[in-house]
Amino acid sequence: MEFSYPPFGYSAAAEKAFWGKHIKAFETENPGIKMNMTWESWGNIFQKTSAAVESGKVPDISYNSPPQIMPLAKQGHIMPVDDVIADLGGVGAFQEALIKQYVLDQKTYCVPNADANLVMCYRKDLLKAAGYDHPPKTWDELVKISLATTRDGVYGLGLYLGKTYDTRQVYAGMMWAAGGSMLDEEGNVALNSPENLTALKFYTDLYLKHKVVPQGAVAWKYGDNANIIGAGQVAMTPMWGGYGTLIQEMFPDNYKNIGFAPLPAGPTGHSGSWSGVGGFYVFAKARHPEEAKKFIKFMSKPEIQKEWCLISGNVSPFKAIAQDPDLTKFDWYRAIAEQSASSVQTGWLSSAAVPGLEIIGGQHVLAEPVEDVISNGMTPEAALKKAHDHMAQIIEKAKSH
């Protein structure tokens, strides 16, 4: 059986040991099955999967998020797994916000296995020195605490400002916290809205008006914010909560001063975060579909799920496990679990099966308005309209094919 997998954890060594151990245990329990696991690169996973579908030479089972899975499901390349869901306790056994992203025409095409999202990472010592004993709970508090902690060479807030995955993910969460979306419930582009403009102005004002974000953030790459907060150069930054599994190893002298909490609430009264929900799916042309389903059920065992959470830095999609005290004792885990209820994926109000969403994600269209305001001198209004038109063009082109 062929298993294609892009890493969903934060430590390659820990993840490979985890999968190797449990694949061996699965094979021992099922002596007629042998598995070949291939580790994929996020740099070409979308292209490689598309090529496999085109050729018909697909793996039996793979693992990914809704923007890749659901367009393939709509095209008939993935088989429903409602029978597996039923064996695992039914839809009600899963966090609703996570499993609904894999439903199309009342059929479920993926078994959720992990959820990650962006939370607020903060320096307890820097906030305390500025007179605060808690991280911000609202956008107004975020501005106040960021201003108070911007001093003596330290900036209050670390934000990605370039055309990157990180920028689009943080901005998408702010859009949702402001009441906006990228698509409406009918799948029409809804980027150019008053709510999304509010989010864009708030995001870019933190840098341009309040000046609480380091100037060098325009060139930040993935992981830079973790290193900078560890060094005490910023007081707060939106960060994938799973970094909590690495903080002690990365910053042995400062990890006790680093905390995690849900992102602050926007004008809607709730926060918003990008979700990295991932799960198992089986290709329609899989050579061994029943064996693939058996493996999914094996990896969904509660004891394996709990281990996976701590290894990968993800929250369990199973309700019974998500609040397990062995997991919730970690603040990074609690923050992710709490944030899951207001997390979003590409397209969130509409179906993730809208054509072109994977292209929009890969081209960082949601990061474009931030970059255009920060680095290209455009007004927020013009930048948002430009991104709206770009998104509409991508979707129309994808629909025509």
Side-chain angles (χ1 to χ4, degrees):
M1 182 168 60
E2 299 289 334
F3 176 31
S4 171
Y5 175 80
F8 262 70
Y10 297 81
S11 167
E15 216 178 337
K16 288 188 176 183
F18 168 85
W19 287 105
K21 178 178 76 172
H22 290 296
I23 285 175
K24 183 177 181 180
F26 174 74
E27 291 175 337
T28 300
E29 190 174 296
N30 300 273
I33 303 174
K34 294 296 179 185
M35 291 193 67
N36 177 37
M37 182 179 186
T38 57
W39 289 74
E40 310 296 351
S41 165
W42 282 106
N44 66 2
I45 181 63
F46 298 103
Q47 297 89 336
K48 187 172 180 180
T49 301
S50 296
V53 167
E54 288 272 335
S55 68
K57 297 179 180 178
V58 295
D60 296 287
I61 185 173
S62 193
Y63 193 109
N64 217 303
S65 297
Q68 169 151 10
I69 295 174
M70 297 313 291
L72 293 173
K74 190 169 186 177
Q75 297 163 16
H77 298 304
I78 297 174
M79 66 173 58
V81 287
D82 296 280
D83 52 343
V84 180
I85 297 292
D87 288 344
L88 293 174
V91 171
F94 294 85
Q95 301 280 5
E96 181 184 2
L98 306 182
I99 196 166
K100 72 178 183 180
Q101 299 179 54
Y102 293 113
V103 176
L104 177 65
D105 297 331
Q106 299 183 328
K107 295 180 180 179
T108 310
Y109 287 89
C110 176
V111 178
N113 181 255
D115 183 38
N117 51 56
L118 294 166
V119 299
M120 183 63 79
C121 180
Y122 65 100
R123 289 288 300 238
K124 300 174 186 177
D125 51 344
L126 297 179
L127 266 63
K128 184 178 180 180
Y132 291 91
D133 61 1
H134 65 274
K137 296 181 180 179
T138 66
W139 281 10
D140 287 343
E141 276 195 344
L142 177 62
V143 173
K144 289 179 183 178
I145 296 178
S146 295
L147 287 168
T149 51
T150 299
R151 59 184 185 181
D152 303 327
V154 175
Y155 284 86
L157 187 64
L159 279 180
Y160 285 88
L161 303 173
K163 192 176 178 181
T164 68
Y165 280 108
D166 306 271
T167 303
R168 73 175 175 88
Q169 291 163 352
V170 176
Y171 176 51
M174 287 188 176
M175 286 166 54
W176 184 230
S181 184
M182 57 181 288
L183 304 177
D184 63 21
E185 293 180 2
E186 284 72 47
N188 302 307
V189 177
L191 193 57
N192 193 13
S193 72
E195 294 83 5
N196 292 337
L197 183 61
T198 294
L200 181 59
K201 287 180 176 179
F202 180 75
Y203 194 130
T204 54
D205 276 354
L206 290 164
Y207 178 79
L208 295 172
K209 177 182 176 181
H210 303 301
K211 302 186 185 303
V212 295
V213 181
Q215 291 186 349
V218 295
W220 277 5
K221 306 297 182 185
Y222 178 77
D224 283 351
N225 62 339
N227 291 317
I228 288 170
I229 199 166
Q233 296 173 12
V234 297
M236 301 175 287
T237 185
M239 182 189 295
W240 288 100
Y243 267 103
T245 61
L246 304 178
I247 290 296
Q248 184 171 356
E249 179 183 340
M250 293 174 68
F251 311 112
D253 297 329
N254 289 318
Y255 78 93
K256 291 183 179 179
N257 281 319
I258 298 175
F260 296 84
L263 292 167
T268 58
H270 65 71
S271 65
S273 173
W274 190 261
S275 168
V277 57
F280 297 102
Y281 65 100
V282 182
F283 283 93
K285 292 186 177 180
R287 293 177 300 156
H288 310 289
E290 294 309 313
E291 290 82 354
K293 292 177 180 181
K294 185 175 289 188
F295 179 68
I296 294 172
K297 287 185 279 189
F298 178 87
M299 294 303 298
S300 299
K301 291 180 179 180
E303 64 273 20
I304 297 179
Q305 268 283 299
K306 286 175 64 173
E307 182 184 352
W308 171 233
C309 289
L310 297 176
I311 286 291
S312 67
N314 293 300
V315 167
S316 175
F318 291 90
K319 292 177 182 177
I321 302 171
Q323 298 302 321
D324 190 288
D326 289 338
L327 301 172
T328 56
K329 66 183 179 183
F330 300 102
D331 64 351
W332 62 265
Y333 185 92
R334 291 196 306 274
I336 300 173
E338 186 175 337
Q339 192 72 68
S340 289
S342 58
S343 62
V344 293
Q345 265 284 351
T346 307
W348 55 93
L349 286 182
S350 65
S351 168
V354 173
L357 292 189
E358 71 280 10
I359 300 171
I360 288 168
Q363 293 189 10
H364 308 318
V365 179
L366 286 181
E368 289 177 1
V370 175
E371 182 187 50
D372 281 337
V373 173
I374 296 293
S375 299
N376 299 330
M378 294 180 69
T379 65
E381 292 81 0
L384 196 59
K385 184 179 185 305
K386 176 187 170 187
H388 177 105
D389 292 343
H390 185 193
M391 187 177 294
Q393 290 169 2
I394 291 173
I395 290 177
E396 286 305 311
K397 185 176 180 180
K399 285 180 178 178
S400 68
H401 285 77

PDB file of all heavy atoms in Angstrom, residues 125-152:
ATOM      1  N   ASP A 125       7.595  38.104  30.331  1.00  0.00           N
ATOM      2  CA  ASP A 125       8.454  39.072  31.009  1.00  0.00           C
ATOM      3  C   ASP A 125       8.316  40.466  30.416  1.00  0.00           C
ATOM      4  O   ASP A 125       8.274  41.474  31.150  1.00  0.00           O
ATOM      5  CB  ASP A 125       9.913  38.614  30.974  1.00  0.00           C
ATOM      6  CG  ASP A 125      10.404  38.240  29.581  1.00  0.00           C
ATOM      7  OD1 ASP A 125       9.576  38.028  28.659  1.00  0.00           O
ATOM      8  OD2 ASP A 125      11.634  38.140  29.389  1.00  0.00           O
ATOM      9  N   LEU A 126       8.206  40.569  29.091  1.00  0.00           N
ATOM     10  CA  LEU A 126       8.097  41.875  28.453  1.00  0.00           C
ATOM     11  C   LEU A 126       6.741  42.515  28.724  1.00  0.00           C
ATOM     12  O   LEU A 126       6.640  43.733  28.921  1.00  0.00           O
ATOM     13  CB  LEU A 126       8.344  41.755  26.950  1.00  0.00           C
ATOM     14  CG  LEU A 126       9.742  41.267  26.541  1.00  0.00           C
ATOM     15  CD1 LEU A 126       9.859  41.157  25.026  1.00  0.00           C
ATOM     16  CD2 LEU A 126      10.817  42.206  27.089  1.00  0.00           C
ATOM     17  N   LEU A 127       5.688  41.704  28.733  1.00  0.00           N
ATOM     18  CA  LEU A 127       4.370  42.249  29.057  1.00  0.00           C
ATOM     19  C   LEU A 127       4.319  42.700  30.520  1.00  0.00           C
ATOM     20  O   LEU A 127       3.771  43.770  30.832  1.00  0.00           O
ATOM     21  CB  LEU A 127       3.271  41.217  28.790  1.00  0.00           C
ATOM     22  CG  LEU A 127       2.603  41.291  27.404  1.00  0.00           C
ATOM     23  CD1 LEU A 127       3.606  41.009  26.301  1.00  0.00           C
ATOM     24  CD2 LEU A 127       1.420  40.340  27.310  1.00  0.00           C
ATOM     25  N   LYS A 128       4.910  41.908  31.401  1.00  0.00           N
ATOM     26  CA  LYS A 128       4.912  42.264  32.823  1.00  0.00           C
ATOM     27  C   LYS A 128       5.664  43.567  33.068  1.00  0.00           C
ATOM     28  O   LYS A 128       5.227  44.414  33.863  1.00  0.00           O
ATOM     29  CB  LYS A 128       5.537  41.133  33.636  1.00  0.00           C
ATOM     30  CG  LYS A 128       5.515  41.357  35.143  1.00  0.00           C
ATOM     31  CD  LYS A 128       6.106  40.171  35.902  1.00  0.00           C
ATOM     32  CE  LYS A 128       6.070  40.403  37.407  1.00  0.00           C
ATOM     33  NZ  LYS A 128       6.647  39.244  38.154  1.00  0.00           N
ATOM     34  N   ALA A 129       6.784  43.738  32.366  1.00  0.00           N
ATOM     35  CA  ALA A 129       7.574  44.959  32.523  1.00  0.00           C
ATOM     36  C   ALA A 129       6.808  46.191  32.059  1.00  0.00           C
ATOM     37  O   ALA A 129       7.065  47.309  32.528  1.00  0.00           O
ATOM     38  CB  ALA A 129       8.880  44.840  31.730  1.00  0.00           C
ATOM     39  N   ALA A 130       5.845  45.976  31.158  1.00  0.00           N
ATOM     40  CA  ALA A 130       5.034  47.088  30.667  1.00  0.00           C
ATOM     41  C   ALA A 130       3.739  47.244  31.463  1.00  0.00           C
ATOM     42  O   ALA A 130       2.901  48.098  31.136  1.00  0.00           O
ATOM     43  CB  ALA A 130       4.713  46.879  29.189  1.00  0.00           C
ATOM     44  N   GLY A 131       3.555  46.417  32.504  1.00  0.00           N
ATOM     45  CA  GLY A 131       2.397  46.555  33.368  1.00  0.00           C
ATOM     46  C   GLY A 131       1.222  45.668  33.023  1.00  0.00           C
ATOM     47  O   GLY A 131       0.096  45.904  33.503  1.00  0.00           O
ATOM     48  N   TYR A 132       1.454  44.617  32.232  1.00  0.00           N
ATOM     49  CA  TYR A 132       0.354  43.735  31.821  1.00  0.00           C
ATOM     50  C   TYR A 132       0.626  42.315  32.306  1.00  0.00           C
ATOM     51  O   TYR A 132       1.723  41.785  32.133  1.00  0.00           O
ATOM     52  CB  TYR A 132       0.184  43.742  30.303  1.00  0.00           C
ATOM     53  CG  TYR A 132      -0.328  45.064  29.776  1.00  0.00           C
ATOM     54  CD1 TYR A 132       0.559  46.064  29.385  1.00  0.00           C
ATOM     55  CD2 TYR A 132      -1.691  45.309  29.694  1.00  0.00           C
ATOM     56  CE1 TYR A 132       0.095  47.286  28.916  1.00  0.00           C
ATOM     57  CE2 TYR A 132      -2.163  46.521  29.217  1.00  0.00           C
ATOM     58  CZ  TYR A 132      -1.274  47.506  28.831  1.00  0.00           C
ATOM     59  OH  TYR A 132      -1.738  48.713  28.371  1.00  0.00           O
ATOM     60  N   ASP A 133      -0.406  41.701  32.905  1.00  0.00           N
ATOM     61  CA  ASP A 133      -0.264  40.324  33.384  1.00  0.00           C
ATOM     62  C   ASP A 133      -1.002  39.328  32.503  1.00  0.00           C
ATOM     63  O   ASP A 133      -1.165  38.160  32.861  1.00  0.00           O
ATOM     64  CB  ASP A 133      -0.748  40.205  34.823  1.00  0.00           C
ATOM     65  CG  ASP A 133      -2.226  40.568  34.987  1.00  0.00           C
ATOM     66  OD1 ASP A 133      -2.879  40.890  33.974  1.00  0.00           O
ATOM     67  OD2 ASP A 133      -2.711  40.524  36.135  1.00  0.00           O
ATOM     68  N   HIS A 134      -1.474  39.779  31.334  1.00  0.00           N
ATOM     69  CA  HIS A 134      -2.182  38.889  30.403  1.00  0.00           C
ATOM     70  C   HIS A 134      -1.985  39.396  28.978  1.00  0.00           C
ATOM     71  O   HIS A 134      -1.769  40.593  28.758  1.00  0.00           O
ATOM     72  CB  HIS A 134      -3.669  38.842  30.750  1.00  0.00           C
ATOM     73  CG  HIS A 134      -4.363  40.166  30.550  1.00  0.00           C
ATOM     74  ND1 HIS A 134      -4.377  41.137  31.525  1.00  0.00           N
ATOM     75  CD2 HIS A 134      -5.036  40.680  29.486  1.00  0.00           C
ATOM     76  CE1 HIS A 134      -5.038  42.194  31.066  1.00  0.00           C
ATOM     77  NE2 HIS A 134      -5.450  41.942  29.839  1.00  0.00           N
ATOM     78  N   PRO A 135      -2.058  38.506  28.006  1.00  0.00           N
ATOM     79  CA  PRO A 135      -1.954  38.926  26.608  1.00  0.00           C
ATOM     80  C   PRO A 135      -3.244  39.614  26.176  1.00  0.00           C
ATOM     81  O   PRO A 135      -4.268  39.520  26.866  1.00  0.00           O
ATOM     82  CB  PRO A 135      -1.750  37.604  25.857  1.00  0.00           C
ATOM     83  CG  PRO A 135      -2.422  36.593  26.716  1.00  0.00           C
ATOM     84  CD  PRO A 135      -2.206  37.040  28.134  1.00  0.00           C
ATOM     85  N   PRO A 136      -3.253  40.313  25.046  1.00  0.00           N
ATOM     86  CA  PRO A 136      -4.446  41.049  24.611  1.00  0.00           C
ATOM     87  C   PRO A 136      -5.611  40.125  24.271  1.00  0.00           C
ATOM     88  O   PRO A 136      -5.430  39.076  23.659  1.00  0.00           O
ATOM     89  CB  PRO A 136      -3.960  41.808  23.375  1.00  0.00           C
ATOM     90  CG  PRO A 136      -2.776  41.041  22.884  1.00  0.00           C
ATOM     91  CD  PRO A 136      -2.124  40.501  24.109  1.00  0.00           C
ATOM     92  N   LYS A 137      -6.809  40.565  24.651  1.00  0.00           N
ATOM     93  CA  LYS A 137      -8.014  39.796  24.361  1.00  0.00           C
ATOM     94  C   LYS A 137      -8.858  40.425  23.257  1.00  0.00           C
ATOM     95  O   LYS A 137      -9.770  39.786  22.737  1.00  0.00           O
ATOM     96  CB  LYS A 137      -8.849  39.645  25.639  1.00  0.00           C
ATOM     97  CG  LYS A 137      -8.136  38.840  26.718  1.00  0.00           C
ATOM     98  CD  LYS A 137      -9.001  38.693  27.968  1.00  0.00           C
ATOM     99  CE  LYS A 137      -8.259  37.890  29.039  1.00  0.00           C
ATOM    100  NZ  LYS A 137      -9.062  37.745  30.287  1.00  0.00           N
ATOM    101  N   THR A 138      -8.563  41.684  22.919  1.00  0.00           N
ATOM    102  CA  THR A 138      -9.284  42.388  21.857  1.00  0.00           C
ATOM    103  C   THR A 138      -8.292  43.118  20.975  1.00  0.00           C
ATOM    104  O   THR A 138      -7.116  43.300  21.344  1.00  0.00           O
ATOM    105  CB  THR A 138     -10.272  43.415  22.434  1.00  0.00           C
ATOM    106  OG1 THR A 138      -9.522  44.453  23.098  1.00  0.00           O
ATOM    107  CG2 THR A 138     -11.232  42.766  23.419  1.00  0.00           C
ATOM    108  N   TRP A 139      -8.756  43.566  19.818  1.00  0.00           N
ATOM    109  CA  TRP A 139      -7.882  44.351  18.938  1.00  0.00           C
ATOM    110  C   TRP A 139      -7.423  45.643  19.624  1.00  0.00           C
ATOM    111  O   TRP A 139      -6.274  46.060  19.468  1.00  0.00           O
ATOM    112  CB  TRP A 139      -8.617  44.671  17.633  1.00  0.00           C
ATOM    113  CG  TRP A 139      -8.635  43.527  16.660  1.00  0.00           C
ATOM    114  CD1 TRP A 139      -8.245  42.246  16.893  1.00  0.00           C
ATOM    115  CD2 TRP A 139      -9.050  43.580  15.286  1.00  0.00           C
ATOM    116  NE1 TRP A 139      -8.396  41.487  15.756  1.00  0.00           N
ATOM    117  CE2 TRP A 139      -8.896  42.284  14.757  1.00  0.00           C
ATOM    118  CE3 TRP A 139      -9.566  44.585  14.471  1.00  0.00           C
ATOM    119  CZ2 TRP A 139      -9.217  41.968  13.439  1.00  0.00           C
ATOM    120  CZ3 TRP A 139      -9.889  44.284  13.153  1.00  0.00           C
ATOM    121  CH2 TRP A 139      -9.719  42.997  12.637  1.00  0.00           C
ATOM    122  N   ASP A 140      -8.317  46.286  20.366  1.00  0.00           N
ATOM    123  CA  ASP A 140      -7.929  47.512  21.067  1.00  0.00           C
ATOM    124  C   ASP A 140      -6.818  47.235  22.065  1.00  0.00           C
ATOM    125  O   ASP A 140      -5.849  48.012  22.171  1.00  0.00           O
ATOM    126  CB  ASP A 140      -9.136  48.115  21.797  1.00  0.00           C
ATOM    127  CG  ASP A 140     -10.138  48.762  20.853  1.00  0.00           C
ATOM    128  OD1 ASP A 140      -9.762  49.043  19.693  1.00  0.00           O
ATOM    129  OD2 ASP A 140     -11.298  48.980  21.274  1.00  0.00           O
ATOM    130  N   GLU A 141      -6.947  46.136  22.791  1.00  0.00           N
ATOM    131  CA  GLU A 141      -5.887  45.774  23.736  1.00  0.00           C
ATOM    132  C   GLU A 141      -4.596  45.432  23.017  1.00  0.00           C
ATOM    133  O   GLU A 141      -3.504  45.712  23.517  1.00  0.00           O
ATOM    134  CB  GLU A 141      -6.317  44.580  24.600  1.00  0.00           C
ATOM    135  CG  GLU A 141      -7.153  44.946  25.798  1.00  0.00           C
ATOM    136  CD  GLU A 141      -7.243  43.807  26.799  1.00  0.00           C
ATOM    137  OE1 GLU A 141      -6.929  42.642  26.444  1.00  0.00           O
ATOM    138  OE2 GLU A 141      -7.625  44.075  27.952  1.00  0.00           O
ATOM    139  N   LEU A 142      -4.700  44.830  21.846  1.00  0.00           N
ATOM    140  CA  LEU A 142      -3.504  44.493  21.069  1.00  0.00           C
ATOM    141  C   LEU A 142      -2.711  45.751  20.739  1.00  0.00           C
ATOM    142  O   LEU A 142      -1.484  45.779  20.872  1.00  0.00           O
ATOM    143  CB  LEU A 142      -3.889  43.764  19.787  1.00  0.00           C
ATOM    144  CG  LEU A 142      -2.736  43.415  18.844  1.00  0.00           C
ATOM    145  CD1 LEU A 142      -1.736  42.474  19.517  1.00  0.00           C
ATOM    146  CD2 LEU A 142      -3.268  42.782  17.556  1.00  0.00           C
ATOM    147  N   VAL A 143      -3.407  46.808  20.327  1.00  0.00           N
ATOM    148  CA  VAL A 143      -2.726  48.062  20.025  1.00  0.00           C
ATOM    149  C   VAL A 143      -2.096  48.639  21.286  1.00  0.00           C
ATOM    150  O   VAL A 143      -0.917  49.039  21.286  1.00  0.00           O
ATOM    151  CB  VAL A 143      -3.703  49.074  19.389  1.00  0.00           C
ATOM    152  CG1 VAL A 143      -3.023  50.440  19.228  1.00  0.00           C
ATOM    153  CG2 VAL A 143      -4.196  48.578  18.039  1.00  0.00           C
ATOM    154  N   LYS A 144      -2.855  48.689  22.381  1.00  0.00           N
ATOM    155  CA  LYS A 144      -2.346  49.277  23.626  1.00  0.00           C
ATOM    156  C   LYS A 144      -1.118  48.539  24.137  1.00  0.00           C
ATOM    157  O   LYS A 144      -0.112  49.164  24.505  1.00  0.00           O
ATOM    158  CB  LYS A 144      -3.443  49.245  24.696  1.00  0.00           C
ATOM    159  CG  LYS A 144      -4.589  50.214  24.449  1.00  0.00           C
ATOM    160  CD  LYS A 144      -5.640  50.093  25.548  1.00  0.00           C
ATOM    161  CE  LYS A 144      -6.831  51.013  25.280  1.00  0.00           C
ATOM    162  NZ  LYS A 144      -7.881  50.870  26.318  1.00  0.00           N
ATOM    163  N   ILE A 145      -1.183  47.208  24.174  1.00  0.00           N
ATOM    164  CA  ILE A 145      -0.053  46.448  24.710  1.00  0.00           C
ATOM    165  C   ILE A 145       1.132  46.495  23.750  1.00  0.00           C
ATOM    166  O   ILE A 145       2.292  46.541  24.182  1.00  0.00           O
ATOM    167  CB  ILE A 145      -0.482  45.001  25.003  1.00  0.00           C
ATOM    168  CG1 ILE A 145      -1.562  44.989  26.100  1.00  0.00           C
ATOM    169  CG2 ILE A 145       0.708  44.153  25.440  1.00  0.00           C
ATOM    170  CD1 ILE A 145      -2.108  43.609  26.436  1.00  0.00           C
ATOM    171  N   SER A 146       0.856  46.515  22.461  1.00  0.00           N
ATOM    172  CA  SER A 146       1.949  46.621  21.484  1.00  0.00           C
ATOM    173  C   SER A 146       2.671  47.953  21.632  1.00  0.00           C
ATOM    174  O   SER A 146       3.913  48.014  21.558  1.00  0.00           O
ATOM    175  CB  SER A 146       1.400  46.478  20.059  1.00  0.00           C
ATOM    176  OG  SER A 146       0.870  45.194  19.842  1.00  0.00           O
ATOM    177  N   LEU A 147       1.913  49.031  21.831  1.00  0.00           N
ATOM    178  CA  LEU A 147       2.531  50.349  22.028  1.00  0.00           C
ATOM    179  C   LEU A 147       3.331  50.380  23.324  1.00  0.00           C
ATOM    180  O   LEU A 147       4.447  50.919  23.369  1.00  0.00           O
ATOM    181  CB  LEU A 147       1.453  51.433  22.057  1.00  0.00           C
ATOM    182  CG  LEU A 147       0.793  51.779  20.717  1.00  0.00           C
ATOM    183  CD1 LEU A 147      -0.440  52.637  20.929  1.00  0.00           C
ATOM    184  CD2 LEU A 147       1.787  52.474  19.791  1.00  0.00           C
ATOM    185  N   ALA A 148       2.783  49.789  24.373  1.00  0.00           N
ATOM    186  CA  ALA A 148       3.446  49.816  25.683  1.00  0.00           C
ATOM    187  C   ALA A 148       4.736  49.014  25.690  1.00  0.00           C
ATOM    188  O   ALA A 148       5.670  49.329  26.451  1.00  0.00           O
ATOM    189  CB  ALA A 148       2.492  49.294  26.758  1.00  0.00           C
ATOM    190  N   THR A 149       4.813  47.971  24.876  1.00  0.00           N
ATOM    191  CA  THR A 149       6.001  47.105  24.867  1.00  0.00           C
ATOM    192  C   THR A 149       6.993  47.472  23.756  1.00  0.00           C
ATOM    193  O   THR A 149       8.040  46.833  23.651  1.00  0.00           O
ATOM    194  CB  THR A 149       5.584  45.631  24.720  1.00  0.00           C
ATOM    195  OG1 THR A 149       4.688  45.491  23.608  1.00  0.00           O
ATOM    196  CG2 THR A 149       4.902  45.122  25.971  1.00  0.00           C
ATOM    197  N   THR A 150       6.670  48.477  22.957  1.00  0.00           N
ATOM    198  CA  THR A 150       7.608  48.949  21.939  1.00  0.00           C
ATOM    199  C   THR A 150       8.506  50.007  22.563  1.00  0.00           C
ATOM    200  O   THR A 150       8.158  51.187  22.681  1.00  0.00           O
ATOM    201  CB  THR A 150       6.859  49.537  20.720  1.00  0.00           C
ATOM    202  OG1 THR A 150       6.039  48.505  20.143  1.00  0.00           O
ATOM    203  CG2 THR A 150       7.828  50.045  19.670  1.00  0.00           C
ATOM    204  N   ARG A 151       9.675  49.569  23.001  1.00  0.00           N
ATOM    205  CA  ARG A 151      10.612  50.470  23.672  1.00  0.00           C
ATOM    206  C   ARG A 151      11.948  49.763  23.845  1.00  0.00           C
ATOM    207  O   ARG A 151      12.039  48.530  23.804  1.00  0.00           O
ATOM    208  CB  ARG A 151      10.077  50.889  25.043  1.00  0.00           C
ATOM    209  CG  ARG A 151       9.819  49.723  25.988  1.00  0.00           C
ATOM    210  CD  ARG A 151       9.189  50.199  27.282  1.00  0.00           C
ATOM    211  NE  ARG A 151       9.041  49.108  28.242  1.00  0.00           N
ATOM    212  CZ  ARG A 151       8.503  49.239  29.445  1.00  0.00           C
ATOM    213  NH1 ARG A 151       8.047  50.426  29.844  1.00  0.00           N
ATOM    214  NH2 ARG A 151       8.411  48.204  30.261  1.00  0.00           N
ATOM    215  N   ASP A 152      12.989  50.566  24.016  1.00  0.00           N
ATOM    216  CA  ASP A 152      14.332  50.039  24.296  1.00  0.00           C
ATOM    217  C   ASP A 152      14.783  49.007  23.265  1.00  0.00           C
ATOM    218  O   ASP A 152      15.398  47.983  23.601  1.00  0.00           O
ATOM    219  CB  ASP A 152      14.384  49.415  25.695  1.00  0.00           C
ATOM    220  CG  ASP A 152      13.989  50.391  26.795  1.00  0.00           C
ATOM    221  OD1 ASP A 152      14.271  51.591  26.633  1.00  0.00           O
ATOM    222  OD2 ASP A 152      13.380  49.963  27.783  1.00  0.00           O
TER     223      ASP A 152
END
